[in-house]
Amino acid sequence: MACFVPFNNRNLDISFFVFKPTVVLVDKFVETLKHFSGSTENLGCVQSSIFRSIHGNMIIWYGAWMKKFSENKELLTSALLSMLANTSSMAIITEHGFFDAYAGESRDGSSAAKFSTGDAISMNIIVPQSGDINDLSYANLAIFKSHFLKMEGASAGVCLNCQSMPSVTCLYVWKSLQFCYSWIINSDHRRTMLPYLERFSLDIKYDIFRVVFVSSDNLLNYQNLPSNQALQNGGISKEESQVIMQD
């Protein structure tokens, strides 16, 4: 079963931790993050994934949380940072935060951007140096709506707002890396994006990732457990997992 990013924040809270590895053997750090993913289940994380930058030196850990476990985000973030303390010799945490998904589309009609190990993902983050973040969110949505149907090979996309800092993000899942490259090479971003963004002073970052790990297969195990045992093993019952996956 694929991992997914929902198109709204009704059932789940979404978090990203961005790492810059400082070791030569990055695979060892990835393995450490896999173990970290398993540990987060006891804190209410129902699925997680690891994205590895194809061209740069960046790794992103994605986690989705049941809302009843993430109500106190400061406390949860402190717990996660404490759990990641033993990775400080392998990587630097450059950014982290919770995000609200506020729009999205998919080719298969589902209400989530689904991905599995080996898939290609592109992400862009826009940080305003001035201006209203709400206006930027609408501009980001307008760009997404005008682009997605024209993006051959993009299976899904989602727009997100960061809760802790003024920034917006778009995440796209691609059927292949070749489709992603073709879109980047052939798109006239100056003509298609600047009309929406020219009134803002912005810092825009963009990267392409390979999904190297997903943990959402564990949901199948949770659905076969009694409710009390499921709560002990990660805080999600059969009924709750059905609510999450109903879309």
Side-chain angles (χ1 to χ4, degrees):
M1 184 168 56
C3 195
F4 64 94
V5 179
F7 293 162
N8 59 63
N9 63 346
R10 183 179 60 199
N11 294 324
L12 297 175
D13 276 320
I14 296 167
S15 66
F16 291 100
F17 280 70
V18 182
F19 299 87
K20 181 179 180 180
T22 57
V23 292
V24 176
L25 300 177
V26 179
D27 288 343
K28 183 178 180 180
F29 174 61
V30 171
E31 289 300 316
T32 300
L33 280 185
K34 291 179 183 179
H35 291 292
F36 167 73
S37 288
S39 301
T40 62
E41 294 177 4
N42 291 324
L43 295 177
C45 185
V46 296
Q47 60 168 349
S48 57
S49 185
I50 301 172
F51 311 153
R52 184 170 177 176
S53 174
I54 292 176
H55 302 288
N57 186 29
M58 181 187 299
I59 289 177
I60 294 179
W61 183 85
Y62 160 71
W65 308 82
M66 289 290 291
K67 283 186 172 294
K68 67 179 181 180
F69 292 94
S70 58
E71 291 178 350
N72 191 331
K73 293 184 175 59
E74 291 185 4
L75 184 62
L76 177 57
T77 299
S78 295
L80 295 173
L81 291 174
S82 177
M83 294 165 61
L84 288 166
N86 64 341
T87 68
S88 59
S89 62
M90 293 184 284
I92 299 170
I93 300 175
T94 60
E95 298 176 55
H96 63 81
F98 281 84
F99 289 75
D100 291 322
Y102 65 94
E105 291 190 33
S106 62
R107 302 291 185 187
D108 63 4
S110 66
S111 57
K114 301 175 184 178
F115 50 88
S116 303
T117 299
D119 284 348
I121 285 179
S122 64
M123 292 182 68
N124 64 274
I125 181 167
I126 305 175
V127 181
Q129 298 175 0
S130 62
D132 189 344
I133 185 62
N134 291 324
D135 287 345
L136 181 58
S137 296
Y138 286 124
N140 189 47
L141 176 59
I143 293 172
F144 175 81
K145 291 291 187 181
S146 67
H147 279 63
F148 182 74
L149 292 179
K150 304 173 185 177
M151 298 171 70
E152 183 182 2
S155 59
V158 57
C159 300
L160 307 109
N161 279 332
C162 183
Q163 296 180 5
S164 57
M165 62 177 291
S167 65
V168 297
T169 302
C170 272
L171 180 151
Y172 295 97
V173 181
W174 296 86
K175 295 179 180 179
S176 74
L177 194 57
Q178 287 70 30
F179 278 121
C180 181
Y181 286 145
S182 178
W183 168 254
I184 294 172
I185 293 171
N186 296 322
S187 298
D188 184 356
H189 293 294
R190 181 177 295 276
R191 179 179 60 83
T192 59
M193 293 183 65
L194 281 186
Y196 298 98
L197 301 175
E198 59 186 359
R199 67 183 184 276
F200 300 100
S201 178
L202 302 170
D203 179 22
I204 302 176
K205 299 177 182 178
Y206 187 90
D207 210 337
I208 305 171
F209 300 86
R210 181 75 70 186
V211 179
V212 296
F213 170 77
V214 298
S215 67
S216 54
D217 285 342
N218 291 338
L219 280 176
L220 291 177
N221 297 327
Y222 283 127
Q223 290 174 348
N224 295 322
L225 291 174
S227 296
N228 61 341
Q229 187 176 354
L231 287 170
Q232 293 173 0
N233 285 306
I236 178 172
S237 67
K238 179 179 179 181
E239 291 77 12
E240 289 171 329
S241 65
Q242 291 172 341
V243 169
I244 295 172
M245 296 299 293
Q246 66 184 357
D247 293 330

